[in-house]
Amino acid sequence: MASTKSNGTVAGTWKLMMEDGQPIKSPITVKYTKLFINGEFVDSVSGKTFETFDPRTEEVITSVSEATTEDVDLAVKAARAAFDHGPWPRMSGQERGRILNKYADLIQEHCEQLATLETWDGGKPLDIVKHFDMQEALGILRYYTGYADKIHGLTLKMNGPYQGYTLQEPIGVCGQIIPWNFPLIMFFLKISPALACGCTVVIKPAELTPLTALYCAHLSIEAGIPPGVINVLPGFGETAGAAISSHMDIDKIAFTGSTKVGRLIMEAIAKSNLKDVTLELGGKSPLIVMDDFDIDQAVEIANFGAFINMGQVCLASSRVFVQESIYDEFVRKLAERAKKQVIGDPFKGGVQHGPQINKAQFDKILKYIQYGKIDGANLLLGGHSFDGKGFYIEPTIFIDVEDNMRIAQDEIFGPVVSILKFKTIEEVIERGNKTIYGLAAGVLTKNINIANRVARSLRAGTVWINCYLVSAPDWALGGYKMSGIGRESGSYGLQNYLQVKSVITPLHESPWI
Ligand code: NAI
Ligand code: MG
């Protein structure tokens, strides 16, 4: 029986799906736990290690070497040498593409192991990791691999007896800092465009999920990616992350994570070498449901947008605006649908909803559930955690939410959705835009004029019409307002790793005379 850890009241809607009542033992042993610098797995200079945990059992999986400033220096030296003197930026694009294709083949061959590690370290349902995360990550790598021999500049006509051209050059050594909610996708979203362009990288996985990045590192050598091109540094944000952001010999930072840390990274960059930066930060994305749309489909889309990956999604549709004439039916049906979410051991087949990543996130989510109640929203469904080990929280629906409530303004990053009622398009556009964020939005309607008008009026980097969270390697991902700076993915993402140089020459021997 489900019950809350915090106040002992019984929710009773879900039972955790477990195998014989026990967490399933992971079918893999962890091989790669050290820092990956210059093509080798090495201990940290300080000898420090930290533990990574299984969110299902709260038990330690293994100890991992912890990078601090000295290790960042060593990794940047290796990446710098590989960029300034090594073969990677100098070889033909075709050759780089060939090696990256081999890398993609190896990642594909190791899908089972990678998916298992990803589930173990991050609590994500294995079925979903195999069918979505792995495919998405590989798709991104293969997409950018195709670009490796198609990067070139323009010919300039100029005025007068001159001609010019532009060179698209790799930007240099890239520092990349990623979060724990999609470790594999984030790893490839960061390294793939950088490598295709001929850059070298120093990447820091999140301290909560370092294992798949290290596993991918070992395959890079087998693929033939030269030492120093990829360096992987597990470690903490305040130490390793801060050392990367402020490093004088790094040319570009790409970060995905909280808006709070995005700001710290901007500060570090301003105070160091003014390196280039892209930031993909938080969101509080509105999904607008018009009364002309099929209500069962709307419920399916809203359920997916709010609860996939246990709500730990920057793009989650965490504010659902429902037009008043269908509001009551919609919320009733959404609750019925959410009750069908299969919660349990993410290694068990059919489970859709595993534990949250750690105690801090678990506590944050339960705190926001309290805020929702205190601020006067009505708790329609869920709101509880489960007895025993593991950071499991029920899918939670608040109704009658007002715009200014904390649950409607802040990124909760958990399975908590706020349902808000609206009357008119004008009203919902204004209210939809009323947060500091602008990462994504959705609108569900049969009326093409309304769909297009809403799409143009919402200040968000992605707007889905009649669907939600549909992605592909060629989309552009990024935020308006405090959801970030720049765009990743697709051809826009490639530009982040290139510098444009203009070269101008005279057409005559002595144009000055
Ligand atoms: P975070 O933003 O602290 O962590 C993301 C990454 O940044 C990690 O690799 C971390 O080590 C690194 N980092 C932390 N402090 C740093 C610093 N001073 N300099 C450089 N790098 C640093 O996110 P956290 O604490 O794991 O989660 C807190 C909240 O952040 C979540 O509840 C959620 O609201 C938001 N978040 C948003 C994500 C998104 O994709 N938009 C992803 C992860 C978290
Ligand atoms: Mg972990």
Side-chain angles (χ1 to χ4, degrees):
M1 193 51 99
S3 71
T4 167
K5 280 180 179 170
S6 48
N7 64 16
T9 60
V10 175
T13 311
W14 292 270
K15 201 169 152 291
L16 284 186
M17 286 286 289
M18 305 291 276
E19 196 96 323
D20 308 324
Q22 291 298 319
I24 294 171
K25 211 169 155 344
S26 170
I28 194 172
T29 46
V30 182
K31 278 201 202 144
Y32 306 100
T33 59
K34 296 189 177 185
L35 313 182
F36 185 73
I37 300 178
N38 211 19
E40 286 176 1
F41 286 100
V42 294
D43 290 320
S44 56
V45 172
S46 67
K48 275 192 190 171
T49 59
F50 66 98
E51 291 166 334
T52 186
F53 292 86
D54 177 348
R56 304 172 305 153
T57 59
E58 306 177 32
E59 282 166 13
V60 175
I61 298 174
T62 186
S63 288
V64 175
S65 295
E66 180 189 335
T68 55
T69 310
E70 292 89 338
D71 308 292
V72 171
D73 283 340
L74 289 175
V76 173
K77 260 198 193 100
R80 189 84 255 165
F83 185 77
D84 290 347
H85 310 292
W88 190 249
R90 287 164 192 82
M91 68 178 64
S92 69
Q94 208 167 47
E95 179 63 2
R96 256 202 319 276
R98 193 191 60 74
I99 295 171
L100 289 174
N101 254 323
K102 174 131 192 254
Y103 191 32
D105 291 342
L106 286 169
I107 299 289
Q108 194 156 8
E109 274 171 36
H110 289 250
C111 269
E112 278 294 322
Q113 296 92 320
L114 279 165
T116 303
L117 273 183
E118 189 88 330
T119 290
W120 198 9
D121 211 8
K124 296 160 69 80
L126 184 62
D127 286 346
I128 299 175
V129 173
K130 277 188 192 168
H131 294 113
F132 174 72
D133 300 62
M134 263 327 302
Q135 305 317 318
E136 192 90 348
L138 255 173
I140 292 165
L141 176 56
R142 291 209 190 275
Y143 174 86
Y144 283 111
T145 295
Y147 263 118
D149 60 357
K150 298 171 193 69
I151 296 167
H152 52 75
L154 300 172
T155 309
L156 310 175
K157 198 148 176 288
M158 304 300 294
N159 289 326
Y162 295 92
Q163 70 149 4
Y165 57 89
T166 58
L167 291 173
Q168 296 247 51
E169 298 184 335
I171 199 164
V173 175
C174 304
Q176 305 180 315
I177 300 171
I178 56 175
W180 42 262
N181 53 340
F182 291 95
L184 270 167
I185 294 177
M186 289 295 153
F187 182 78
F188 285 105
L189 189 59
K190 293 286 185 281
I191 72 161
S192 310
L195 297 184
C197 292
C199 296
T200 61
V201 305
V202 174
I203 183 163
K204 191 193 87 57
E207 55 272 34
L208 302 175
T209 52
L211 300 180
T212 45
L214 291 172
Y215 195 99
C216 291
H218 105 268
L219 295 175
S220 73
I221 291 298
E222 204 177 324
I225 297 175
V229 172
I230 300 178
N231 302 275
V232 182
L233 298 183
F236 293 90
E238 302 75 23
T239 47
I244 290 171
S245 324
S246 60
H247 207 287
M248 293 300 286
D249 235 0
I250 288 182
D251 300 299
K252 191 224 158 52
I253 295 284
F255 169 73
T256 299
S258 61
T259 295
K260 183 173 147 225
V261 171
R263 194 191 290 274
L264 291 175
I265 287 174
M266 287 283 278
E267 279 173 19
I269 290 171
K271 287 181 186 151
S272 56
N273 62 345
L274 296 177
K275 53 182 82 64
D276 187 277
V277 63
T278 40
L279 302 175
E280 204 261 278
L281 308 176
K284 191 74 190 177
S285 301
L287 173 65
I288 296 170
V289 187
M290 304 297 299
D291 60 9
D292 65 353
F293 195 75
D294 181 275
I295 202 158
D296 295 319
Q297 248 199 77
V299 161
E300 207 51 50
I301 292 171
N303 182 71
F304 180 75
F307 299 130
I308 190 76
N309 209 40
M310 294 68 79
Q312 302 167 141
V313 182
C314 53
L315 300 153
S317 56
S318 50
R319 285 186 300 151
V320 180
F321 288 90
V322 184
Q323 204 157 18
E324 61 178 358
S325 65
I326 56 162
Y327 184 86
D328 291 339
E329 188 185 354
F330 178 90
V331 297
R332 181 175 50 76
K333 286 189 160 171
L334 182 64
E336 280 165 15
R337 175 62 188 84
K339 275 184 202 164
K340 293 189 189 137
Q341 288 286 106
V342 183
I343 310 178
D345 186 335
F347 274 117
K348 189 168 169 52
V351 164
Q352 300 158 324
H353 186 115
Q356 309 302 134
I357 185 74
N358 70 350
K359 180 82 166 66
Q361 291 298 315
F362 175 89
D363 288 344
K364 174 183 170 185
I365 296 160
L366 292 179
K367 184 180 78 183
Y368 270 94
I369 291 170
Q370 288 309 316
Y371 286 165
K373 294 180 194 165
I374 294 166
D375 292 351
N378 285 319
L379 179 63
L380 178 68
L381 183 77
H384 302 92
S385 58
F386 290 78
D387 281 338
K389 291 281 183 198
F391 306 113
Y392 294 93
I393 297 182
E394 297 173 343
T396 299
I397 302 174
F398 277 104
I399 57 171
D400 306 326
V401 178
E402 305 282 340
D403 295 340
N404 57 357
M405 291 178 182
R406 286 170 281 191
I407 54 168
Q409 287 296 318
D410 299 347
E411 185 179 55
I412 301 173
F413 231 60
V416 181
V417 65
S418 294
I419 316 289
L420 307 93
K421 194 187 284 183
F422 77 93
K423 282 195 175 112
T424 67
I425 303 280
E426 293 72 21
E427 171 201 341
V428 80
I429 287 171
E430 182 165 339
R431 292 172 62 195
N433 280 330
K434 234 193 220 170
T435 72
I436 60 165
Y437 297 112
L439 193 57
V443 55
L444 309 181
T445 176
K446 284 189 184 144
N447 184 323
I448 187 74
N449 302 335
I450 290 178
N452 283 327
R453 184 167 151 211
V454 171
R456 283 184 180 225
S457 308
L458 290 174
R459 303 195 61 217
T462 298
V463 179
W464 283 286
I465 297 174
N466 297 346
C467 60
Y468 203 83
L469 281 183
V470 177
S471 62
D474 62 352
W475 78 333
L477 165 64
Y480 281 48
K481 300 191 276 179
M482 288 174 73
S483 288
I485 294 179
R487 294 291 176 271
E488 295 194 306
S489 193
S491 56
Y492 295 95
L494 195 75
Q495 293 304 319
N496 295 328
Y497 295 96
L498 294 168
Q499 292 262 33
V500 182
K501 180 185 280 175
S502 293
V503 182
I504 296 160
T505 60
L507 287 169
H508 300 261
E509 276 283 305
S510 355
W512 296 102
I513 301 166

